[in-house]
Amino acid sequence: MTHALNIVWNPSEGIDLGFFIIRYYSLMFVIAFGLGWYIMKNIFDREGESIEKLDSLFIWTVLATLLGARLGHVFFYDWEYYRNHLLEIFMPIRENPNETILYIIKGWEFTGFQGLASHGAAISIIIAMYFYSKNILKKPQLWILDRVVIPVASGAIFVRLGNFFNSEIIGHKTTSDFGIKFLKDHFSAMDAVNATQIPNPQAAYSAIANDPKFVSLLEQVPVRHPTQLYEAFCYIFVFAVLFFLYWKTEKRRYTGFIFGMFLVLLFTVRFIVESVKESQGGFESALGLFSTGQWLSIPFILIGLYFILTSEKEITN
């Protein structure tokens, strides 16, 4: 349903198989890691590295991404909450004793891992690649970093699409009709049920989006910037640049250059898009001027510039 240039965004939870729902957010992660494995397989084939080392790399990267992204969200953005809910850091649940909507059992609601921070994932991947390169690959850390950032950039596209399906990490209200009405961000499942008196949350959301009887509720939903799509679109170009540098130029032989380009390009995109993104919390209120995401992006950009400027061509025998 559309009004002028805005779209009412009310996606289903995922692909319903009857006995199980494949959530779009989880599906985007599967696609990201699957495509990443395929890209690295071609890189390893080109470099003459064994598939056994690739399998290990896949495991290390998946674990580092999920663990780092989760801890990054906890410590960078929401420690005040999680310090009192430690179990929720590593469990896909939320203590919710006062509500009676879907997935609550004995005071707990299943939420999935909704809090993931890309800055935390970046840090953990860099650390993981140090141990991987030292113990398994037997090559300098920058060798693998120059190559693994290519699939990481492609994965970032699908992660942001997953955020879009989840109606999370939304943008500021727009000053025109251009933008998206994120229905599930404005109304919680319980809010939608109570407002419409329709017991099924998804049916309640659909009624708000499509039933003229609830047009007053729909009008309450502000039009916002789809910052997830902004980032996903920009990350396509980040991936394309890195892919081109590795496959079509000699820059892959310059140690640290592609890794540095990744840091500069990706976190510059993040810094810019943050300017129209709703606050995710964190320490921005204490420092002012920039958002937490922007403050966290600045060191990565500077480190990236350092690697670009100091990169040197590998000496081959």
Side-chain angles (χ1 to χ4, degrees), residues 207-281:
I208 295 173
N210 301 298
D211 192 335
K213 183 170 60 175
F214 300 109
V215 66
S216 62
L217 294 175
L218 184 59
E219 289 175 349
Q220 296 176 24
V221 184
V223 180
R224 296 184 178 275
H225 287 283
T227 49
Q228 318 96 322
L229 298 184
Y230 295 167
E231 282 194 62
F233 182 76
C234 291
Y235 291 159
I236 292 174
F237 289 95
V238 175
F239 167 71
V241 169
L242 300 180
F243 189 89
F244 176 81
L245 288 174
Y246 177 79
W247 287 100
K248 300 297 183 179
T249 76
E250 284 296 304
K251 289 300 183 182
R252 70 181 183 277
R253 301 299 181 198
Y254 285 75
T255 303
F257 184 88
I258 295 178
F259 174 59
M261 284 294 295
F262 165 81
L263 293 179
V264 170
L265 293 176
L266 188 134
F267 287 104
T268 296
V269 168
R270 181 69 186 273
F271 186 92
I272 294 172
V273 175
E274 283 281 335
S275 64
V276 293
K277 187 183 294 184
E278 279 288 284
S279 171
Q280 303 297 305

Side-chain angles (χ1 to χ4, degrees), residues 101-128:
I101 58 176
L102 294 178
Y103 305 120
I104 293 184
I105 302 176
K106 295 181 180 179
W108 296 92
E109 176 189 357
F110 175 79
T111 61
F113 290 115
Q114 295 180 333
L116 300 173
S118 59
H119 296 93
I123 293 171
S124 64
I125 289 174
I126 292 172
I127 294 172

Side-chain angles (χ1 to χ4, degrees), residues 30-46 51 54-55 57-58 147-148 150-152 154-155 239 243 246-247:
V30 171
I31 293 174
F33 286 123
L35 179 60
W37 184 91
Y38 176 78
I39 293 171
M40 283 305 296
K41 180 181 182 299
N42 283 278
I43 290 175
F44 269 44
D45 285 343
R46 183 182 195 183
I51 196 69
L54 176 59
D55 291 340
L57 174 64
F58 180 79
R147 289 153 179 81
V148 78
I150 302 173
V152 168
S154 71
F239 167 71
F243 189 89
Y246 177 79
W247 287 100

Side-chain angles (χ1 to χ4, degrees), residues 123-140:
I123 293 171
S124 64
I125 289 174
I126 292 172
I127 294 172
M129 291 306 99
Y130 168 77
F131 291 102
Y132 171 78
S133 61
K134 181 178 180 180
N135 297 303
I136 296 175
L137 191 60
K138 308 298 182 182
K139 285 181 177 288

